Amino acid sequence: MYRIISVEEWLNTVFKDEFGYEYNTNLSIPVSQWNQFNDLRKLLRKLDCCGDFSSGPLTGYQRYDDLSRTVANMFAFDTLANALGYQGRLASSGMAAICATLHTCNPGDNQNFLITGVASCDKTMSKMKWLHANCDLPLKRVNSSDLDKITMAYRQAKASLRHPIMFFETLGSGVNMPVLPLKELLEFMWDKPGTLILDNTFLTSSLLNPFDLMLDLQDRRGDHHPDFLFVYLESLSEYYRVDLRYDHATAGIVLGPHKFMKEYDELIDEGSAISPPALLAFPINLCDASSRVMSDLAKKALVATRLLKKKSVVKRVWYPRTDHPDLPNGGGGMLYFEANMGNGRFNLEKFKQHFPETTSFGHAHSTCIHFGAFGGYQNGLIRLSLGTLEDPAQLAHNLN
């Protein structure tokens, strides 16, 4: 396992070794130092991931565009996405990646049909509902773990003479945590027109890499490329930190084929791209950063699941089963449980002392959110997000 270093640290060491002087990472530098921009491009070309550089002279902020693409394309290389001709882009957040992708897939011709999971993230669902209301697009919500329901919705879209755009999370963020039958869905879509957007934030490519599945399917079928458009995205804000103790910045990543990424570049506004300070703070090698934590998180989630199931104050626990065929490497670092709130049996305030309440996840220490405090959820429904640095023994002690 490599030591996880930031883009800035990488620049400071590798650039000096290559050219004999330190790279100036300040946002504003004198014009007299602009020669370093071209030296940077020479260095990035040596990485030879995708050769996907911006056009024109490398000046000002444009230097960060090339650097950002290189980091994203290294991710495409490590996940084998580049073997399918895919390129990467970094966004300012996971939600920015989602919005930019949906905008690129739906340029306003009103010929699309949206299909998504019932248990999708609330913010994602709000965006889908906005497209439904403002762009006159049909919206179908299905159980994302039911392949029959998904394929039925696809056929409904085609029958209406519209282009199906399917947006699914590999592991649904809703309480029952539906697992997408990804392998079967890829096989179904392979020779059909349509778009499949996959949000893999909760599992990351470390636990589930769809490009492994696609390359295997391509080999078995003897096809060079699938007929459908496949777009992959993640939020990088949770499991991709250099220093796991700090929530330093937000980012998202989008992987897509060359034609899609060209349209993506033309349509997104500047606010969707990652900022230079955030870029410099993220790891140069994103895959190493996530693989460092995801396997341990899945193991800690199993510890918490087994312990909670033994507690009389817990009615039910939701976490993907250990032998699930679509999750060979585990189900990630989150779970849901329903506590018995009657007669003061479950002390929510004491629980929050050990597991602070926050709507985000992927922190150094475990956190929770009491969904029962919001409308539409049963009282006592709690999501537990396991800490990336928390020792399993300490986790078990806190739960007890």
Side-chain angles (χ1 to χ4, degrees):
M1 182 73 68
Y2 297 110
R3 185 172 73 89
I4 308 301
I5 64 172
S6 68
V7 172
E8 182 170 22
E9 183 181 354
W10 177 82
L11 274 177
N12 289 337
T13 54
V14 177
F15 194 90
K16 187 173 183 179
D17 290 343
E18 183 75 16
F19 299 108
Y21 67 94
E22 292 186 356
Y23 187 84
N24 189 340
T25 58
N26 293 332
L27 294 183
S28 298
I29 67 173
V31 174
S32 60
Q33 295 183 22
W34 277 18
N35 64 297
Q36 72 170 13
F37 299 162
N38 291 320
D39 284 344
L40 173 62
R41 178 169 279 174
K42 292 176 187 176
L43 179 61
L44 297 180
R45 286 190 186 281
K46 280 195 170 185
L47 294 176
D48 196 29
C49 291
C50 297
D52 179 32
F53 300 105
S54 55
S55 59
L58 191 58
T59 57
Y61 289 143
Q62 194 174 6
R63 60 184 165 140
Y64 289 108
D65 189 28
D66 274 16
L67 182 58
S68 171
R69 290 188 184 196
T70 298
V71 175
N73 286 331
M74 288 174 66
F75 183 86
F77 180 85
D78 288 337
T79 58
L80 302 179
N82 73 321
L84 290 164
Y86 277 57
Q87 297 173 354
R89 297 291 184 272
L90 294 179
S92 58
S93 67
M95 201 62 223
I98 290 173
C99 292
T101 298
L102 288 172
H103 180 53
T104 306
C105 291
N106 184 64
D109 54 13
N110 297 343
Q111 296 300 310
N112 297 317
F113 190 110
L114 303 174
I115 304 168
T116 191
V118 173
S120 296
C121 168
D122 288 343
K123 287 187 176 180
T124 303
M125 186 52 58
S126 296
K127 180 63 177 177
M128 301 288 257
K129 289 179 178 178
W130 185 93
L131 289 171
H132 169 62
N134 293 275
C135 300
D136 193 29
L137 300 181
L139 173 61
K140 181 76 173 179
R141 299 180 67 181
V142 298
N143 179 355
S144 59
S145 66
D146 191 328
L147 183 65
D148 290 338
K149 293 286 175 54
I150 296 173
T151 57
M152 190 181 303
Y154 174 89
R155 294 187 178 97
Q156 181 182 345
K158 294 302 294 178
S160 66
L161 303 180
R162 288 176 177 262
H163 178 87
I165 297 179
M166 296 184 286
F167 184 105
F168 290 115
E169 298 168 343
T170 48
L171 182 63
S173 57
V175 60
N176 58 343
M177 303 186 75
V179 179
L180 183 71
L182 181 58
K183 183 178 180 179
E184 292 82 0
L185 181 56
L186 290 173
E187 288 197 62
F188 171 79
M189 288 296 299
W190 195 264
D191 57 359
K192 297 177 178 63
T195 298
L196 173 59
I197 304 169
L198 189 72
D199 184 347
N200 198 28
T201 295
F202 296 130
L203 295 177
T204 78
S205 62
S206 298
L207 294 182
L208 180 62
N209 184 356
F211 298 104
D212 282 335
L213 300 175
M214 293 183 72
L215 288 169
D216 179 66
L217 185 56
Q218 180 177 272
D219 288 342
R220 288 191 286 112
R221 297 179 63 102
D223 296 335
H224 188 262
H225 289 297
D227 289 340
F228 73 103
L229 170 63
F230 177 70
V231 182
Y232 177 93
L233 55 86
E234 280 188 50
S235 168
L236 304 179
S237 309
E238 290 77 26
Y239 303 125
Y240 289 85
R241 303 189 183 107
V242 173
D243 190 333
L244 295 171
R245 296 170 297 175
Y246 304 108
D247 307 338
H248 59 265
T250 64
I253 193 164
V254 179
L255 300 181
H258 175 74
K259 181 181 178 182
F260 170 83
M261 296 315 303
K262 185 177 180 181
E263 296 172 353
Y264 179 97
D265 290 337
E266 292 174 352
L267 289 173
I268 63 168
D269 60 48
E270 293 302 321
S272 299
I274 189 171
S275 68
L279 171 63
L280 293 172
F282 268 93
I284 184 68
N285 191 306
L286 295 168
C287 281
D288 281 351
S290 66
S291 61
R292 169 183 53 164
V293 298
M294 292 310 296
S295 179
D296 285 343
L297 275 177
K299 293 174 183 176
K300 283 184 270 193
L302 288 176
V303 169
T305 298
R306 290 165 180 158
L307 192 151
L308 287 167
K309 284 182 175 180
K310 296 177 181 179
K311 300 300 180 182
S312 60
V313 293
V314 175
K315 293 182 179 180
R316 187 177 177 185
V317 181
W318 291 269
Y319 188 74
R321 70 177 198 264
T322 54
D323 61 345
H324 200 292
D326 293 298
L327 298 178
N329 301 309
M334 291 198 305
L335 60 91
Y336 288 82
F337 69 94
E338 184 183 359
N340 188 344
M341 306 294 284
N343 299 319
R345 298 186 65 189
F346 180 82
N347 191 328
L348 180 60
E349 294 308 313
K350 187 174 182 181
F351 188 81
K352 290 179 183 179
Q353 292 175 14
H354 293 285
F355 304 97
E357 190 167 29
T358 174
T359 57
S360 55
F361 59 96
H363 300 284
H365 298 284
S366 298
T367 60
C368 78
I369 178 170
H370 179 217
F371 279 95
F374 304 99
Y377 297 96
Q378 61 264 41
N379 190 30
L381 177 62
I382 294 170
R383 186 185 76 187
L384 183 63
S385 303
L386 286 311
T388 54
L389 289 178
E390 200 158 28
D391 180 80
Q394 184 62 44
L395 170 65
H397 174 79
N398 289 342
L399 283 172
N400 279 320

